Amino acid sequence: MNPVFSELPTTIFDVMSGLARRHGAINLGQGFPDDPGPADVRERAADFLRDGDNQYPPMMGLPVLRRAIAAHYGRHQGLDLDPDTEVMVTSGATEALAASLLALIAPGDEVVLFEPAYDAYLPLVLRAGGIPRFVSLKPPHFGLDEATLASVFSERTKAVVLNNPLNPSATVFSGADLSLLASFCQRFDVVAICDEVWEHVVFDDVRHTPLMAVPGMRDRTVKIGSAGKIFSLTGWKVGFVMAAPALMTGLAKAHQFLTFTTPPNLQEGVAYGLGKDTAYFEAMRRGFARSRDRLARGLSERGFRVLPAQATWFLNIDIAGLAVADDVAFCRMLVETRGVAAIPVSAFYTEAPVRHIVRLCFAKEDATLDAALDRLGDLGRALA
Ligand code: PMP
Ligand code: GLN
């Protein structure tokens, strides 16, 4: 077996969901909403499944979806994408990440990864023969700084992976962070792989800026999105990747031997959904912001220190100072003794892990959140 995979632990999401099932716990670990997703989008996919053409779609994706993606990002983010040469449909953002990393990295190339890092990045970089250079981001801001970037970027750097908004920290990189990163990418001729799956799930006054729109980045950015996050349909695994033609040609060659294509009825449903009006996206954000506030308030009332959550379906609590060894011990105790599953954020670090942050998913019905809070009881104060 290839040690890149055989030596890997099972992903933390599956571990915690397994523990949640075993202990009959409320699962606030793995990120998936209680909401079943928009009925009209699901109906569109169902209609197509019954009546449409269910043979292989084109390798780059159904034209109707590629046009919808280009139009969507034009409308929401001011990007000017050519649907024929700059857009490709993938089986989830995960496949887009795999295709991008496999296509871009040759053995020995260095890749800058920010930690906390979504858990798919490192194995894919290693499998491609890349050498990771980690930058550890620290709570509560998880921001960038010039000295640290200067210590990892060099002539050997081929790519950097940026997850913005950032899962699990629920933070958004500032305009200054993006400009700083862009300047390093340009100075060292580096491609930025931008995992922007959370781009629509931003709260309060936050607006998402794609790195691709930062001056100098248009032709050196691979932008990745996911319908799973945009429409609360995580099981669909419809992703998209956008890049200038010179990059896209290489990405498509990796994609053709990973999945080649993605179920056509789901592509049709997503194409329809991406055309929804701004009111839909605003209502979606308002709904999640309400749930975030409900869980945050309940946790604070129970004595937990809640970190600000600007984006994603997650919020974090800081357990430093509580009478528990670390985030892993805390999550184990939570699921075993209180029947609530959460995610230890140290799982997103390889080097110098931060061990006092715990992630909880608030994309749930009020009743689910309230039941989880009831189960937590006075735990925060009991451990203080
Ligand atoms: N990147 C990040 C940062 C994510 O949070 C997720 C899923 N939660 C993915 C990628 C994977 O997206 P998909 O399910 O579309 O493969
Ligand atoms: N991305 C999801 C999360 O952060 C989980 C995805 C998965 O289970 N692979 O919770």
Side-chain angles (χ1 to χ4, degrees), residues 25-338:
I26 296 172
N27 193 352
L28 305 187
Q30 191 178 32
F32 59 89
D34 275 352
D35 185 305
D40 54 351
V41 173
R42 289 182 287 132
E43 259 156 38
R44 188 72 167 228
D47 289 346
F48 191 98
L49 181 70
R50 199 182 43 245
D51 305 326
D53 175 1
N54 284 285
Q55 305 310 328
Y56 292 127
M59 192 260 277
M60 297 299 284
L62 287 183
V64 66
L65 177 53
R66 291 160 68 197
R67 283 196 300 270
I69 292 167
H72 181 85
Y73 286 116
R75 203 161 58 246
H76 291 273
Q77 297 178 6
L79 295 173
D80 182 14
L81 293 161
D82 178 347
D84 294 327
T85 57
E86 298 189 307
V87 177
M88 180 167 76
V89 178
T90 58
S91 291
T94 308
E95 199 233 334
L97 284 161
S100 307
L101 291 164
L102 293 175
L104 280 162
I105 300 169
D109 286 341
E110 292 190 3
V111 181
V112 173
L113 296 178
F114 297 106
E115 296 199 316
Y118 185 64
D119 68 347
Y121 302 160
L122 179 59
L124 290 170
V125 167
L126 293 174
R127 187 62 190 90
I131 300 168
R133 299 297 311 268
F134 294 107
V135 173
S136 182
L137 307 178
K138 299 283 184 265
H141 301 301
F142 297 91
L144 304 184
D145 77 82
E146 184 158 7
T148 317
L149 292 186
S151 71
V152 292
F153 272 83
S154 76
E155 309 301 336
R156 294 182 299 281
T157 313
K158 172 60 71 69
V160 55
V161 182
L162 182 75
N163 177 209
N164 187 34
L166 181 60
N167 174 13
S169 64
T171 52
V172 173
F173 289 98
S174 67
D177 283 338
L178 297 183
S179 299
L180 184 65
L181 184 62
S183 71
F184 276 90
C185 289
Q186 287 163 68
R187 185 167 349 141
F188 293 104
D189 193 18
V190 167
V191 174
I193 299 170
C194 287
D195 176 346
E196 300 185 354
V197 300
W198 297 105
E199 58 201 346
H200 273 298
V201 193
V202 292
F203 307 122
D204 309 322
D205 296 328
V206 174
R207 284 195 56 82
H208 176 75
T209 304
L211 187 65
M212 188 180 250
V214 172
M217 294 306 290
R218 177 65 174 79
D219 291 341
R220 59 172 69 252
T221 299
V222 174
K223 172 178 166 64
I224 293 172
S226 171
K229 305 301 185 298
I230 298 178
F231 299 113
S232 296
L233 293 165
T234 61
W236 277 26
K237 300 296 281 190
V238 178
F240 2 99
V241 51
M242 284 68 64
L247 288 170
M248 185 56 82
T249 311
L251 305 188
K253 290 188 180 158
H255 160 72
Q256 68 184 338
F257 297 128
L258 285 169
T259 58
F260 180 66
T261 190
T262 299
N265 66 311
L266 303 181
Q267 295 196 42
E268 172 76 18
V270 171
Y272 163 78
L274 288 174
K276 280 180 174 294
D277 57 14
T278 307
Y280 167 80
F281 295 95
E282 284 170 355
M284 178 267 278
R285 285 191 273 273
R286 269 199 308 277
F288 285 128
R290 247 192 78 257
S291 301
R292 171 199 63 174
D293 293 344
R294 191 177 190 94
L295 184 61
R297 195 170 341 103
L299 289 166
S300 304
E301 283 165 8
R302 281 160 184 77
F304 289 105
R305 251 183 72 207
V306 180
L307 300 186
Q310 298 176 292
T312 76
W313 294 332
F314 311 113
L315 61 73
N316 289 281
I317 54 173
D318 185 340
I319 59 163
L322 298 189
V324 60
D326 59 17
D327 57 343
V328 173
F330 180 86
C331 287
R332 204 160 254 290
M333 177 187 63
L334 209 62
V335 72
E336 286 173 358
T337 69
R338 301 279 169 153

